[in-house]
Amino acid sequence: MKKIDLIAAVSASSELSKANATQVVEGILNTISSTLSSGGEARISGFGTFSVSTRKASIGRNPRTGETIHIPKIRQPKFKAGKVLKGVVN
């Protein structure tokens, strides 16, 4: 599902115009993004938890040349599905 499909589904299920549904979806996504960028968690009861994990810096190897390279520390978003969502999928 693409974002435009999500907007159309929200519009159809809530009887909102597509413009209003776009504002709602964008607002939710922006709120989750800003919460994660500030180091917090976004928990949506029954759906899941968005959080940030940190991968430590490491040493890697370029597969083409065999040269050793430094891989920097990185923060990456992750999602853990909630119990209700897992039940719906299974």
Side-chain angles (χ1 to χ4, degrees):
M1 175 178 271
K2 298 178 184 176
K3 185 165 44 170
I4 192 77
D5 299 329
L6 178 61
I7 291 169
V10 169
S11 175
S13 68
S14 64
E15 298 179 7
L16 291 173
S17 67
K18 283 198 177 185
N20 288 341
T22 300
Q23 289 179 338
V24 169
V25 170
E26 289 289 337
I28 291 169
L29 296 177
N30 289 338
T31 301
I32 291 171
S33 296
S34 64
T35 300
L36 294 179
S37 69
S38 66
E41 284 186 342
R43 292 180 186 217
I44 302 172
S45 180
F47 186 73
T49 302
F50 295 91
S51 61
V52 176
S53 67
T54 303
R55 269 194 329 191
K56 61 183 180 178
S58 62
I59 302 296
R61 188 168 301 276
N62 183 334
R64 284 190 183 175
T65 62
E67 176 185 0
T68 301
I69 56 173
H70 173 71
I71 302 170
K73 177 174 90 169
I74 188 170
R75 291 176 35 169
Q76 60 187 21
K78 69 179 189 177
F79 175 75
K80 181 177 180 188
K83 188 175 184 178
V84 174
L85 180 60
K86 287 179 185 177
V88 169
V89 171
N90 292 318

